[in-house]
Amino acid sequence: MGNDAQTPDAAASVDFEQVQSTARFQELRKRHRSFVFPMAAVFLLWYFAYVLLADYAVDFMSTKVWGNINVGLILGLLQFISTFAITGWYVSYSNRKLDPIAAEIRHEIEGHEFDKDGNIVTGVTK
Amino acid sequence: MIGIATAVDVADLKETTLLNMGIFGLFVAVTMVIVLRASRNNKTAADYYAAGRSFTGSQNGTAIAGDYLSAASFLGITGAIAINGYDGFMYSIGFLVAWLVALLLVAELLRNTGKFTMADVLSFRLKQRPVRIAAAISTLAVCFFYLLAQMAGAGSLISLLLGISDWGGQALIIIVVGALMIMYVLIGGMKGTTWVQIIKAILLIAGAAVMTFWVLAIYGFNLSSLLGAAVETSGNPAVLNPGLQYGKTETSKLDFMSLGLALVLGTAALPHVLMRFYTVPTAKEARKSVVWSIWLIGLFYLFTLVLGYGAAALVGADTIKSAPGGVNSAAPLLAFYLGGPLLLGFISAVAFATILAVVAGLTITAAASFAHDIYASVISKGKADADTEVKVARRTVVVIGVLAILGGIFANGQNVAFLVALAFAVAASANLPTIVYSLFWRRFTTQGAVWSMYGGLGSAIILIIFSPVVSGGATSMIKDANFALFPLSNPGIVSIPLAFLLGWLGTILDKNREDSAKQAEMEVRSLTGVGAEKAVDH
């Protein structure tokens, strides 16, 4: 066994290929990827669009909108807002769509559950 | 504006030296007590490297902010905005947006599949030896570049804050900073280091918040008036527009693209950031860590926007540039203008604490990587027990600390600011492609990982050697020679796509297939957290 990164007792005898092929795991994988990949693509594109504008559309970015506030500053602050928004969205998505399935599969394999600090609540003792 | 110019007299700064030292001394004393208390439970490898996985998401998130908001962020970005206006602000956007990569693609999956180091994850389903060695070399390279930049920065910071301008005096301070750091890491391990980072992050963000509020109050909480005052003092309306620093030539525009790419893709692959995710008990807490750090770091960079333009308006770019420490003096000079010696003393002490906390985090990461990846897994082939491994890690801390001190003294006065950008470029090139491929691409093989890591690391370093930051320009490290064959100062735009390409090419040309059972195990573990190490009870 090349990998020593895990506690051997918890899941040593599990047939992971079998778990991987279950519909429930495939659903978890699909839900995870169908959120994180498009979201990563969107924010990277939005960030590089911003960098390109700052680099090559200086006149547009320098357009004053309100007082001394220009388009560049507004787009820059929107980068902050979009980062905060994506963060919030991902957390709520994980809580609703990912964590319940992940916990179910983990529970089944390990035969015990953890509280929010990761301590074992029931079942196998350490 | 004449009254303001005399209000910030650089000569006055030296009179506050004793006060600065006093506040910094207090910080050291308080954190040392906490580190000593934290060290009581340092028994196992999980205690030493990962603080017994006992921190909460919010604590770890604060520590990540403490680790990430280096002196370069605080002094550097405030100064960059004060001098170059909008272009300085663009740095902070890259530094913040980058955390979405960590949140969406890396943090939780990494926490679920690894134990102590980045190499744990990268070598999970590939051949241990070659992948671990490559990951450890890249970890050590990133830590070394970052560490050197911080230590050299400590020297120039001291010339400003303590009024020590002779080489010997600065060398002495670098030795003191290095020795303190070694003590923190040796005694406190990850737990002590984390507490130092938490305290420092709170002080830094609180200090910046007070100054931001103060500056905004001067301008009636009207951002537009503040910007107007910055334009008036500088006499240049272009400080509000992009392009002052990077818009000069087509090459400099491309350079900014390259830097942006490295910042956004490098952050989530910095080994000292990755290692922080192991200090929490579950993937959910790792997620919370990133959420906390995104809020704190985002808030902080919004403060630096106000502070930078505040310094431009109230202190003035000319005063900043002529002060010892140059661009980096914008934030301290603004503090002095606002709150006199006391606020300057506080901000200076925070800047010191920042360097101390960041070098401590880098050192423990490098030591863990050497002891866990090179010594335990490669040299002793997994036969070393955990006690021996921790012993090796502690010795490595001393070696790295001494190297950092020597490097810092040697690099003091050299223009090594590019090293931070290089660290991000190496992380984005050598680490990120392999992290992403091994987590999300079933077919990925050892050959792909090795090609990508060495290709990314090698190309980033070779390109920087042949870039204008090393030779040929007025601000180069070596001014007398010119072997700058590569026109850009940031290698990312070439080395990052190259590393992704090599990872793909190495994989499809690999005749060997990896173990599909291992792939299944990694995928199931990464998404569900099955079998991941939990908190250590004491």
Side-chain angles (χ1 to χ4, degrees), chain A residues 55 68 72 90 99 106 110, chain B residues 86 108 224 253 287 528 531:
Chain A
D55 248 355
N68 290 307
Y90 173 69
D99 290 354
R106 190 173 62 232
E110 294 184 337
Chain B
Y86 191 87
E108 294 168 50
S224 178
K253 286 179 185 174
R287 181 192 309 152
T528 62

Side-chain angles (χ1 to χ4, degrees), chain B residues 137-139 141-142 145 262 266 269 420-433 453 456-458 460-461 491 495-496:
Chain B
I137 288 175
S138 135
T139 298
V142 173
F145 294 142
V420 172
L422 177 62
F424 276 85
V426 170
S429 323
N431 302 348
L432 191 78
M453 280 192 274
L457 176 68
I461 292 177
S495 63
I496 298 167

Side-chain angles (χ1 to χ4, degrees), chain B residues 265-328:
Chain B
L265 299 179
T267 298
L270 289 172
H272 63 292
V273 167
L274 296 178
M275 197 166 160
R276 293 229 54 90
F277 296 129
Y278 296 125
T279 65
V280 291
T282 61
K284 197 165 171 140
E285 292 297 316
R287 181 192 309 152
K288 268 188 207 157
S289 310
V290 188
V291 173
W292 263 84
S293 49
I294 285 176
W295 280 104
L296 290 174
I297 292 166
L299 199 65
F300 181 81
Y301 285 140
L302 289 175
F303 293 158
T304 58
L305 177 68
V306 173
L307 297 181
Y309 279 121
L314 298 167
V315 182
D318 294 336
T319 312
I320 294 167
K321 276 191 243 175
S322 60
V327 177
N328 282 334

Side-chain angles (χ1 to χ4, degrees), chain A residues 14-23 25-26 108-109, chain B residues 517 520 524:
Chain A
V14 177
D15 181 354
F16 282 102
E17 282 180 298
Q18 192 266 321
V19 178
Q20 189 186 36
S21 66
T22 59
F25 182 80
Q26 290 299 320
E108 214 156 272
I109 296 176
Chain B
V524 171

